[in-house]
Amino acid sequence: MSLAIADPTEIAPSPAALRPDGTPRSYTVRTLGCQMNVHDSERLSGSLDAAGYVAAEDADAADIVVINTCAVRENAAKKLYGSLGTLAGVKRQREGMQIAVGGCLAQKDQGEIVAKAPWVDVVFGTHNMGSLPALLERARHNAEAQIEILESLEVFPSTLPTKRDSASSGWVSISVGCNNTCTFCIVPSLRGKEKDRRPGDILAEVRALVDDGAIEVTLLGQNVNTYGVEFGDRQAFGKLLRAMGEIEGLERVRFTSPHPAAFTDDVIAAMAETPNAMPQLHMPLQSGSDAVLKAMRRSYRSKRFLGILDAVRARIPHAAITTDIIVGFPGETEEDFQETLRVVEASRFSSAFTFQYSIRPGTPAAEMPDQLPKAVVQERYERLLALQERISHEENLAQIGRTLEVLVAVGEGKKDAATRRLSGRAEDNRLVHFALPAGAEEPRPGDVVTVEVTSAAPHFLIADSAVAATPRYAVRRTRAGDAWDRRQAESCGVPAPAAASGSSPRVVSLGLPALRTR
């Protein structure tokens, strides 16, 4: 694979980033929607930092509020306009405050946002995230709203400066856009046709993240397993996974989301044979009914879907498989819904993201006849939820007695004062709450603990093996924990503790960096 590097996008310092007294204005970014939006928000934060803004210590007191929107679900639009209504009153009381709206809903609604909420200062789309600092400056100078929506990518988002939320984990986009035509989905019209990054750019970004302390990376794309279609290599995604296994210091590799129609045996082999590819797979089902799948333009059927799960589990027996399911698609009959229940029962998902179908203007499904009554959709949704809750609980109960390596997280789950529980993710991405031995020092976020599962609930595992009669507990201090220490020290303005033996020097990642020095 080539190691060619795309040039980083430069963000110039903005005069608008300073208040009249010369102090920097603060910002906060609110994210609605999927992991792609979470990663995009890291780019927005990085661009604002590069322009001279600073992250608000108190998000409610920020000078700049950026809302990164989603257009896939109806409730995301409701959240946006609800938030904007609340912010209107805040803005009236706070001189110099600005509100910016970006992302998929901004790309879709464009000028409609300012028409509904004239107190919004900036509207920008999915193709010009790097324009945010300039648009804020222009809106302040002209004293009027700025709307800039491009129809194609201005720059690939991954060339923009980045402010990562986590020291231990990072998101890496391998593509943007989608070539599918699912009738319920508006994403292709908002993010455009699939654009694939060069493999060398992806590997360089991953290496830079690892040099900066990350030990876990999630590869992102609207349809990751069609990666390579733009440059004519249909096995490029499997090759990319294998290349991840060659990056020293990278312990965990995940990806989301694949499409069942394009999921091939070479990807399963790469998952099974690459040591740092995690035993986890998110495989969107959407419906178990072949008739509904056809109406959705999902180019696979339930037999094909179940065959993929069987093939994955044959190679990776402990794989945790999750999914997306839509209930109440137009024309869905009770027989169709029963097929979904059948496939869910057979699939044994560890968890599922379940959604009630909602009309998204601009999609073919919005014009279909036989839109279902809300009461019917709600009743089916509750039945599906009950089934998946049972299955999730049964699958988690089957984990009791297993020894897991858990990557300690920041703020994921609540500490329990009686057991001193902390939280993190197992290799299969299950959430684990684990106890600490009496008198033990807390592991740092980014460190890895070895624990044994002692009990389970539908949405998490409990590992109290550290306080059992025969304790089982170990801590491995990691480079990611060292990176967390550095962040804490820098935020407090004090020297960082000495790094663990063998740790790499700190490398700051601003967009796509050059190759690391050795």
Side-chain angles (χ1 to χ4, degrees):
M1 290 186 176
S2 165
L3 281 178
I5 307 301
D7 292 331
T9 300
E10 298 290 336
I11 303 291
S14 171
L18 299 179
R19 303 186 184 100
D21 65 2
T23 58
R25 288 191 165 99
S26 63
Y27 72 88
T28 186
V29 180
R30 303 179 183 179
T31 307
L32 307 176
C34 65
Q35 293 96 331
M36 294 288 285
N37 273 22
V38 173
H39 186 40
D40 285 349
S41 290
E42 293 184 334
R43 303 293 182 187
L44 294 172
S45 295
S47 297
L48 291 171
D49 276 5
Y53 295 89
V54 296
E57 293 184 8
D58 178 2
D60 293 333
D63 298 308
I64 312 296
V65 177
V66 183
I67 305 178
N68 188 15
T69 65
C70 171
V72 175
R73 307 295 172 199
E74 184 180 18
N75 65 340
K78 291 179 179 177
K79 283 182 181 178
L80 169 65
Y81 289 107
S83 295
L84 291 178
T86 301
L87 288 172
V90 177
K91 186 177 181 182
R92 284 193 293 269
Q93 303 299 318
R94 189 175 302 157
E95 185 177 354
M97 180 181 174
Q98 288 183 296
I99 301 168
V101 179
C104 288
L105 195 65
Q107 187 80 23
K108 172 180 169 290
D109 286 359
Q110 304 188 14
E112 185 179 333
I113 291 174
V114 173
K116 290 182 177 179
W119 53 91
V120 169
D121 299 277
V122 170
V123 178
F124 62 101
T126 58
H127 298 313
N128 61 322
M129 292 188 297
S131 300
L132 176 58
L135 293 171
L136 289 168
E137 182 177 342
R138 197 186 309 161
R140 195 174 294 278
H141 179 271
N142 296 346
E144 65 180 11
Q146 301 296 305
I147 303 171
E148 185 174 286
I149 307 291
L150 302 185
E151 295 307 314
S152 60
L153 276 180
E154 186 176 56
V155 297
F156 202 97
S158 291
T159 66
L160 294 170
T162 306
K163 182 174 183 178
R164 291 167 48 218
D165 287 337
S166 170
S168 61
S169 304
W171 310 95
V172 174
S173 292
I174 67 171
S175 63
V176 295
C178 182
N179 294 338
N180 292 316
T181 58
C182 302
T183 55
F184 57 82
C185 185
I186 199 167
V187 166
S189 65
L190 302 181
R191 290 192 178 263
K193 293 292 185 180
E194 182 175 325
K195 297 289 183 183
D196 295 331
R197 291 178 72 190
R198 290 177 293 177
D201 288 347
I202 297 167
L203 294 173
E205 183 176 355
V206 172
R207 289 191 178 102
L209 288 172
V210 171
D211 282 346
D212 200 30
I215 61 175
E216 178 181 63
V217 162
T218 301
L219 305 176
L220 293 177
Q222 299 297 148
N223 184 3
V224 291
N225 54 313
T226 57
Y227 173 73
V229 66
E230 196 177 21
F231 49 83
D233 185 354
R234 294 191 175 277
Q235 294 193 330
F237 184 62
K239 294 174 184 176
L240 185 64
L241 280 181
R242 292 182 186 277
M244 295 291 122
E246 298 173 6
I247 297 177
E248 185 180 352
L250 180 59
E251 298 185 15
R252 298 184 174 201
V253 176
R254 307 186 191 279
F255 59 87
T256 194
S257 292
H259 192 293
F263 202 77
T264 50
D265 288 343
D266 66 293
V267 173
I268 298 173
M271 291 175 64
E273 295 165 12
T274 304
N276 58 6
M278 291 295 94
Q280 174 224 346
L281 177 65
H282 185 76
M283 182 63 70
L285 169 63
Q286 306 303 1
S287 175
S289 162
D290 289 351
V292 172
L293 288 172
K294 182 178 180 180
M296 290 178 166
R297 288 190 199 150
R298 300 285 287 179
S299 47
Y300 57 89
R301 298 297 177 257
S302 60
K303 182 178 179 180
R304 156 76 174 158
F305 185 90
L306 290 171
I308 292 171
L309 304 197
D310 288 343
V312 169
R313 286 173 171 141
R315 295 295 306 270
I316 313 168
H318 290 299
I321 301 176
T322 57
T323 197
D324 298 328
I325 303 172
I326 296 172
V327 177
F329 189 79
E332 179 189 76
T333 65
E334 176 61 26
E335 290 73 20
D336 292 324
F337 180 65
Q338 287 295 329
E339 280 295 285
T340 294
L341 297 182
R342 177 187 67 81
V343 175
V344 168
E345 184 76 69
S347 298
R348 307 300 297 178
F349 299 117
S350 60
S351 65
F353 297 93
T354 54
F355 305 95
Q356 297 184 39
Y357 172 78
S358 58
I359 293 175
R360 307 313 291 140
T363 62
E367 306 299 324
M368 288 182 176
D370 301 322
Q371 302 283 334
L372 301 187
K374 168 67 175 175
V376 172
V377 179
Q378 180 68 34
E379 190 273 339
R380 289 178 185 172
Y381 175 78
E382 290 173 0
R383 275 192 281 160
L384 174 62
L385 205 61
L387 172 62
Q388 185 54 53
E389 286 279 300
R390 173 177 64 77
I391 293 171
S392 294
H393 197 193
E394 291 170 353
E395 291 298 302
N396 280 355
L397 288 171
Q399 307 302 308
I400 293 175
R402 286 191 64 198
T403 298
L404 304 178
E405 288 198 345
V406 177
L407 178 60
V408 182
V410 178
E412 193 161 21
K414 296 180 179 179
K415 294 183 182 180
D416 185 305
T419 59
R420 297 185 64 208
R421 285 197 187 111
L422 297 179
S423 302
R425 293 279 169 174
E427 290 185 328
D428 64 7
N429 210 37
R430 284 184 167 94
L431 177 62
V432 182
H433 302 302
F434 61 92
L436 301 182
E441 182 181 357
E442 286 191 6
R444 304 163 301 175
D447 287 340
V448 174
V449 298
T450 301
V451 292
E452 183 179 301
V453 180
T454 54
S455 59
H459 303 292
F460 57 84
L461 304 176
I462 294 176
D464 282 347
S465 57
V467 295
T470 306
R472 180 166 180 77
Y473 176 82
V475 178
R476 176 166 59 85
R477 292 173 68 86
T478 69
R479 299 164 46 263
D482 295 340
W484 186 84
D485 275 343
R486 288 196 301 269
R487 284 192 176 196
Q488 295 301 105
E490 289 163 3
S491 67
C492 298
V494 298
S501 174
S503 294
S504 301
R506 184 169 187 260
V507 179
V508 177
S509 170
L510 291 177
L512 273 174
L515 289 175
R516 59 181 176 177
T517 56
R518 297 194 182 273

